[in-house]
Amino acid sequence: EIALLERDFRIAESSAILKYLASRFDAPEYPKDLKERAKIDSIMDWFNTGFYKDFGYGLLYPQIFPHHKRPTDDQHTGTIAWGKDKCKTWLSVLDKDILGKSDYVANNKISIADYFGVCLLTAGELIGCKFEGFSNVQRWVGNMKKLSSWTKVNEVMYGFAGSMAGKQFETV
């Protein structure tokens, strides 16, 4: 359980570090306008506290990390099924309510919430998630992948994903 708490802390810490750096260097992706910033903060919190808990610990980690295996096969299968079901709900909210017709998750312009959220979401590519049935999510991820920095930033993750090629996973 200490490892889980450390992981949660690191994700929350990365969100805080991202906010700090964006503020420190006056990044346009984290505007000074308090209403715009509040929207970005709320979306980052949504990704961090709701979506990520069920996606990471319910669906993703139990399938790729041995230390997340549940004590029995029934418990393990149940955890993944529960996580998959919860993820569909979160993805529906992201697809319809957060993104909708918008290109980005906050204020309809690219922000640190997009950078943060898409990195959490695309971790699902480790197990083959394609987010079928969530067309706005797919569109948003596709647009984020067009960023010139995408390949370099995600190089290690894609290497890890390649090491699991051919394995069967439950996905959304």
Side-chain angles (χ1 to χ4, degrees):
E1 289 194 20
I2 297 293
L4 296 178
L5 293 173
E6 280 182 15
R7 175 71 179 146
D8 285 343
F9 176 75
R10 286 188 182 132
I11 293 295
E13 185 179 52
S14 66
S15 173
I17 290 169
L18 188 56
K19 291 173 186 178
Y20 167 77
L21 290 172
S23 295
R24 171 72 174 84
F25 294 100
D26 292 323
E29 293 90 347
Y30 198 47
K32 290 182 187 271
D33 179 84
L34 294 180
K35 286 183 182 179
E36 289 183 18
R37 192 172 272 203
K39 179 68 174 177
I40 291 166
D41 290 344
S42 73
I43 296 296
M44 290 178 79
D45 290 345
W46 180 88
F47 275 115
N48 205 18
T49 59
F51 172 78
Y52 181 72
K53 177 181 66 81
D54 292 330
F55 186 67
Y57 292 101
L59 182 66
L60 183 62
Y61 297 161
Q63 296 188 80
I64 62 174
F65 295 131
H67 64 282
H68 282 268
K69 179 117 172 86
R70 300 310 191 260
T72 69
D73 287 342
D74 284 345
Q75 289 173 336
H76 192 72
T77 300
T79 296
I80 294 168
W82 180 85
K84 183 176 180 176
D85 185 55
K86 290 289 192 181
C87 288
K88 288 178 183 177
T89 301
W90 290 116
L91 287 168
S92 182
V93 170
L94 178 60
D95 192 71
K96 294 179 179 112
D97 300 323
I98 294 175
L99 283 166
K101 292 180 172 38
S102 297
D103 291 328
Y104 302 103
V105 295
N107 307 314
N108 202 26
K109 54 185 170 184
I110 198 164
S111 70
I112 62 173
D114 293 286
Y115 300 141
F116 182 72
V118 79
C119 286
L120 294 179
L121 187 72
T122 57
E125 292 179 16
L126 293 168
I127 59 170
C129 289
K130 297 193 185 334
F131 310 108
E132 293 170 348
F134 303 101
S135 59
N136 293 323
V137 171
Q138 289 177 318
R139 174 181 47 81
W140 172 63
V141 169
N143 287 336
M144 294 301 289
K145 286 182 173 185
K146 292 176 186 173
L147 295 172
S148 61
S149 59
W150 185 265
T151 301
K152 182 68 176 161
V153 168
N154 290 282
E155 183 177 11
V156 171
M157 185 194 67
Y158 286 126
F160 184 37
S163 74
M164 293 187 290
K167 294 182 181 177
Q168 292 295 104
F169 298 104
E170 286 293 320
T171 67
V172 288

